[in-house]
Amino acid sequence: MLKNLFKVAIRNIFKDLGYSGLNILGLTLGIASALLLILYIADELSYDRYHKNSERIYRVVSHISEPDDAFDWIVAQIPFAPQVKQDYPEVEECVRLITHGRALFEQGDLKFFEEDVFYADSGIFKVFDYPLIQGEPSKALAEPNSIVITRSFASRYFPNQDPMGQSLKREDKLLKVTGIMEDVPKNSHIRFDALVSRTTLPNEIGSWGNFGVYTYLLLPEDLDVHPFEKKINGMYDKYMAEIFERRGIQIRYSLQPITRIHLHSTYQGEPEPTGSIIYVYIFGIVAFFLILIASLNYMNLATARSIRRAREVGLRKVVGSQRRTLIFQFLAESVTITLISLILALILAALLMPFFNQLAGKSFELTVLFSPLLLFNILGIIILVGVVGGSYPAFYLSGFNPVRVMKGEIRTGRSGITLRKTLVVLQFTISIAMIICTLVVYQQLNHLRKMDVGYDMTNIVTLELPSGAMIDKYPVLKQNLLNDPNIIRVTSTNTAMGEGSPKVLFSMETADGMDERGINFAVVDHDFVETMGIRMLEGRDFSDQTPSDTLQSVVVNQALAQRMNWKDPIGKQVILGEGERIRASVIGVMQDYHQTGMYNEMESLMLVYRTNNRIVYTKIQGDQTSRALEHIEKTWKEIFPRQPFEYNFLEDMFMDQFGSDKKRAVIFTSFTILAII
């Protein structure tokens, strides 16, 4: 019987190819689009779940409150990890990842600047599942000056060679390759190309007052995490109260499951761009709507075509067909059309995969189309579209009265017309809602992009000096760059624009005398404010004609002046440094600018004047970009002949912060257009 049902179904499909083709086209577009969105959603939900112990790994988050400020950091202090393991037997293992910073790596004639490198504790392979191709996990990062590299990193420096046991030069050190691992999967909240042993750094580096270390704990499977969180906060009284309590600073720790970082974290300074659980919900709804609209199309067309099938139904009933048999027949047609559409949708999805990867920033391969997850969703689509979508037409058509049909009295009833109108209204409602959402998303992006950032990033080229020896040559680089009339200004800073700034305790003048406060600060050259187009509101900027500015002057922003309740900020005292502390005065107040990116609130900020810094900003003539870049490259190669020349435009780096949201907006828009079609 089943064979006959599908045989007749195929015959009816070919009998009216125009109608069938329209249904198949709509379903194919809807299903292919939904499948791609399902892949995207599944990938977003998969972050960090490839670790065997993913449900037991937690990142330590530090919550710091001062008398007049509060903030959260996704890092802890360097001593935290070994101390928490020693004090609390619940901690099975702990590991720290310390940012290495941009550095030049060399192997023979091959030289590359590397940014995705971390110092790591030797226990990292006990906590995380990073498979080693070569090397012993327990020993690979045990010794000082050891380095574990990824497969991609190895191919850059050791083409057609076995890297094991060989050395890489990093500035003044030789690092021995003790392990080769697979590349870190892209669905990771933190990615790297190489790990250097933590023991390479001095043992005494860092104290309870120094933050900046990504810290992870491996906890028992049956441990109740919330009571344990409260328990570890006892470390404040034991190790930190003596340092911070008299300053009114409190520190509290929380434990963040690594499986929630990518989609749920709202903290600043994430090592990789995060996703958004809201977009996962939105794309899930869009995928459902795409299939729903395709199903509604099928139902609408089937009921509209009912008169053409009426005589067939009447004749079948006259010769003895039961209503149940007719229902199965029409459902068989619906399922057959759905299966054909599914096959075409898989082919279309495979053809669109490269474009979708580029659009979404993913790297799906064709094999993912045959994954268990997708096969499960395909089964769901067959049930939803083939059975549920085809059920109303099946029950509607099979209910015709054979006598009236044979007399030619059949007409589309009020219920059929009402249903079609309802379906059309529902389709338009969904489409209009998606169009409105698309406009809202783009307006929000445009609002962020067009907001006043507080500085002028136009035609500014960014260079980086990763080593102390290169930084020492900054004055020569600056002078030679300024010899070209196409270069307007050159300045330097230790903190990249829009990427946050370090926070340090400074003694600040208050109404009750000098009081220590955690202050965000940046070290800059004397012409930084002018080069970046930052407006001075009171007082003056740093001057190279005033030597004392390098030690005895600071510039603050509006937010800091307001935070300190300074009605007249000029002349207010700040004590810098440790040991031989230097008393400096506020010489100017500048307009606030977004140092921590457009997604974060404006922070209080203080500028300190030092001549040589690692990040160089060069303002060039907008109509002479190529000539200016030629001069910059020529000057670089003259001063740093052994260093690769790399540059970025500050405007491009600024736009990168909107990259993830822009991709999601384009995806949403693309599938909205498909839904309308």
Side-chain angles (χ1 to χ4, degrees):
M1 180 183 172
L2 193 63
K3 180 181 178 182
N4 184 64
L5 286 174
F6 282 102
K7 187 176 179 180
V8 174
I10 292 171
R11 186 183 300 153
N12 282 325
I13 289 170
F14 280 99
K15 184 179 177 181
D16 196 344
L17 272 176
Y19 162 79
S20 302
L22 190 61
N23 268 325
I24 289 169
L25 176 62
L27 287 172
T28 298
L29 284 175
I31 294 170
S33 304
L35 289 177
L36 291 173
L37 282 176
I38 289 167
L39 287 177
Y40 179 90
I41 293 167
D43 185 71
E44 289 290 288
L45 292 172
S46 72
Y47 267 68
D48 295 301
R49 294 186 184 276
Y50 59 87
H51 298 295
K52 181 179 64 178
N53 296 317
S54 61
E55 299 298 330
R56 301 199 287 131
I57 304 172
Y58 296 82
R59 183 175 68 182
V60 178
V61 178
S62 303
H63 307 275
I64 303 163
S65 59
E66 301 179 76
D68 60 350
D69 195 16
F71 47 92
D72 304 314
W73 281 342
I74 57 173
V75 291
Q77 304 100 315
I78 286 183
F80 179 91
Q83 198 64 58
V84 77
K85 187 180 180 185
Q86 178 179 318
D87 292 358
Y88 300 93
E90 295 95 329
V91 179
E92 292 185 9
E93 193 60 64
C94 60
V95 66
R96 295 166 295 180
L97 289 172
I98 305 171
T99 304
H100 182 279
R102 193 169 189 262
L104 182 70
F105 283 76
E106 301 179 53
Q107 208 286 318
D109 295 331
L110 296 171
K111 303 174 186 178
F112 301 98
F113 283 115
E114 301 291 349
E115 296 184 354
D116 297 326
V117 178
F118 289 89
Y119 293 99
D121 289 310
S122 58
I124 187 169
F125 300 110
K126 295 179 183 177
V127 177
F128 299 103
D129 286 323
Y130 297 130
L132 286 185
I133 304 167
Q134 291 180 261
E136 176 60 43
S138 61
K139 299 177 182 177
L141 292 174
E143 298 296 325
N145 301 320
S146 301
I147 184 170
V148 172
I149 60 179
T150 60
R151 189 191 290 271
S152 297
F153 191 99
S155 65
R156 285 201 297 275
Y157 291 91
F158 304 97
N160 304 317
Q161 299 180 51
D162 181 3
M164 284 295 291
Q166 298 203 50
S167 295
L168 275 167
K169 185 180 179 183
R170 186 210 58 194
E171 297 175 4
D172 58 337
K173 283 186 180 292
L174 284 178
L175 301 174
K176 183 181 178 182
V177 178
T178 53
I180 304 167
M181 57 179 280
E182 294 287 358
D183 291 349
V184 178
K186 289 192 175 182
N187 58 339
S188 304
H189 79 278
I190 187 167
R191 299 203 294 265
F192 50 84
D193 290 326
L195 297 172
V196 180
S197 57
R198 160 67 183 88
T199 52
T200 304
L201 294 170
N203 288 330
E204 67 274 8
I205 187 172
S207 67
W208 287 104
N210 300 116
F211 290 78
V213 183
Y214 298 113
T215 304
Y216 301 87
L217 306 182
L218 179 64
L219 301 178
E221 193 169 353
D222 56 350
L223 180 70
D224 190 342
V225 174
H226 296 296
F228 182 67
E229 268 184 342
K230 295 178 181 178
K231 193 174 178 181
I232 62 172
N233 280 303
M235 296 178 73
Y236 175 83
D237 293 330
K238 193 172 182 180
Y239 302 107
M240 291 161 266
E242 186 179 349
I243 305 171
F244 295 112
E245 202 164 42
R246 61 185 176 84
R247 295 161 174 163
I249 298 173
Q250 292 290 322
I251 299 172
R252 179 179 63 83
Y253 299 106
S254 65
L255 301 178
Q256 185 181 29
I258 64 162
T259 53
R260 291 181 59 85
I261 291 174
H262 178 68
L263 290 177
H264 296 271
S265 178
T266 56
Y267 299 121
Q268 298 178 21
E270 288 290 350
E272 295 291 332
T274 56
S276 169
I277 191 63
I278 294 173
Y279 274 102
V280 168
Y281 293 144
I282 289 172
F283 288 156
I285 293 169
V286 171
F288 175 74
F289 278 168
L290 285 165
I291 296 175
L292 180 62
I293 289 172
S295 301
L296 295 178
N297 271 335
Y298 178 80
M299 293 169 68
N300 209 355
L301 288 169
T303 51
R305 188 172 168 261
S306 59
I307 295 175
R308 298 181 62 181
R309 301 294 297 270
R311 289 188 180 277
E312 176 193 339
V313 172
L315 186 59
R316 283 176 178 271
K317 284 192 171 184
V318 167
V319 298
S321 287
Q322 299 293 318
R323 187 180 184 189
R324 184 179 64 177
T325 305
L326 291 172
I327 290 171
F328 283 141
Q329 180 60 58
F330 290 122
L331 284 176
E333 287 184 29
S334 175
V335 170
T336 302
I337 288 174
T338 304
L339 287 171
I340 294 170
S341 300
L342 265 174
I343 294 168
L344 294 175
L346 286 169
I347 295 171
L348 182 60
L351 293 174
L352 292 175
M353 191 74 75
F355 172 74
F356 183 73
N357 281 336
Q358 186 178 5
L359 191 70
K362 302 293 184 181
S363 56
F364 297 124
E365 297 180 357
L366 293 180
T367 53
V368 76
L369 292 174
F370 305 99
S371 64
L373 171 71
L374 212 63
L375 293 175
F376 177 78
N377 281 280
I378 285 172
L379 179 62
I381 289 169
I382 293 171
I383 294 171
L384 179 64
V385 180
V387 179
V388 178
S391 60
Y392 179 82
F395 282 98
Y396 177 74
L397 292 171
S398 64
F400 288 155
N401 186 299
V403 176
R404 296 184 62 190
V405 168
M406 299 310 289
K407 288 181 178 181
E409 296 178 0
I410 187 68
R411 294 288 185 272
T412 303
R414 181 175 297 276
S415 62
I417 294 172
T418 303
L419 175 70
R420 292 206 303 277
K421 288 181 178 179
T422 303
L423 296 179
V424 170
V425 169
L426 183 57
Q427 286 176 306
F428 273 104
T429 301
I430 293 171
S431 299
I432 291 168
M434 291 176 71
I435 291 169
I436 292 170
C437 290
T438 300
L439 292 174
V440 169
V441 169
Y442 271 102
Q443 284 181 350
Q444 177 66 11
L445 277 174
N446 287 331
H447 171 69
L448 287 170
R449 285 198 292 252
K450 292 178 181 178
M451 276 178 63
D452 181 14
V453 297
Y455 61 93
D456 182 11
M457 67 189 78
T458 310
N459 301 321
I460 290 185
V461 177
T462 305
L463 306 171
E464 193 163 345
L465 310 176
S467 70
M470 294 176 73
I471 292 172
D472 290 341
K473 293 184 179 179
Y474 165 71
V476 179
L477 174 68
K478 180 175 181 177
Q479 186 56 53
N480 287 4
L481 289 176
L482 289 171
N483 288 336
D484 188 330
N486 298 312
I487 294 178
I488 303 171
R489 293 186 189 89
V490 179
T491 192
S492 69
T493 177
N494 73 334
T495 307
M497 298 295 285
E499 296 184 14
S501 55
K503 186 185 285 279
V504 169
L505 286 172
F506 291 101
S507 190
M508 312 289 288
E509 182 177 341
T510 69
D512 300 321
M514 302 303 288
D515 192 13
E516 288 186 315
R517 302 290 173 85
I519 304 295
N520 291 84
F521 78 102
V523 177
V524 300
D525 198 357
H526 72 273
D527 48 6
F528 173 81
V529 171
E530 185 180 11
T531 303
M532 305 310 298
I534 301 168
R535 190 158 58 95
M536 292 298 298
L537 303 177
E538 294 183 53
R540 66 177 178 87
D541 187 9
F542 298 119
S543 172
D544 60 343
Q545 303 300 312
T546 308
S548 61
D549 276 0
T550 57
L551 293 176
Q552 299 173 358
S553 302
V554 296
V555 172
V556 300
N557 69 349
Q558 289 171 281
L560 181 54
Q562 290 169 3
R563 176 185 167 190
M564 300 306 301
N565 294 316
W566 288 339
K567 294 182 179 179
D568 184 13
I570 306 302
K572 289 293 186 286
Q573 300 293 294
V574 178
I575 296 179
L576 310 174
E578 298 179 1
E580 294 185 14
R581 301 172 66 140
I582 301 167
R583 186 176 290 269
S585 300
V586 176
I587 60 170
V589 179
M590 62 182 173
Q591 179 184 352
D592 293 337
Y593 66 87
H594 281 276
Q595 177 58 32
T596 53
M598 302 304 291
Y599 288 102
N600 303 302
E601 294 182 2
M602 207 81 76
E603 285 190 340
S604 57
L605 183 68
M606 181 170 70
L607 301 184
V608 179
Y609 174 28
R610 298 290 183 270
T611 307
N612 300 352
N613 306 291
R614 68 182 182 87
I615 297 170
V616 179
Y617 289 128
T618 305
K619 183 84 171 180
I620 64 176
Q621 297 281 4
D623 56 349
Q624 298 293 330
T625 302
S626 59
R627 291 186 179 181
L629 287 174
E630 286 175 7
H631 178 71
I632 293 171
E633 183 175 8
K634 180 183 176 184
T635 303
W636 179 277
K637 289 181 176 178
E638 287 175 355
I639 299 174
F640 309 117
R642 299 183 69 249
Q643 313 298 327
F645 174 67
E646 296 178 3
Y647 72 92
N648 288 291
F649 279 96
L650 183 57
E651 204 163 9
D652 293 338
M653 298 171 75
F654 171 79
M655 294 304 293
D656 283 346
Q657 68 183 298
F658 306 114
S660 296
D661 276 342
K662 188 176 179 181
K663 286 175 182 175
R664 288 191 282 260
V666 173
I667 293 171
F668 189 85
T669 304
S670 301
F671 289 108
T672 297
I673 294 169
L674 280 172
I676 295 167
I677 293 172

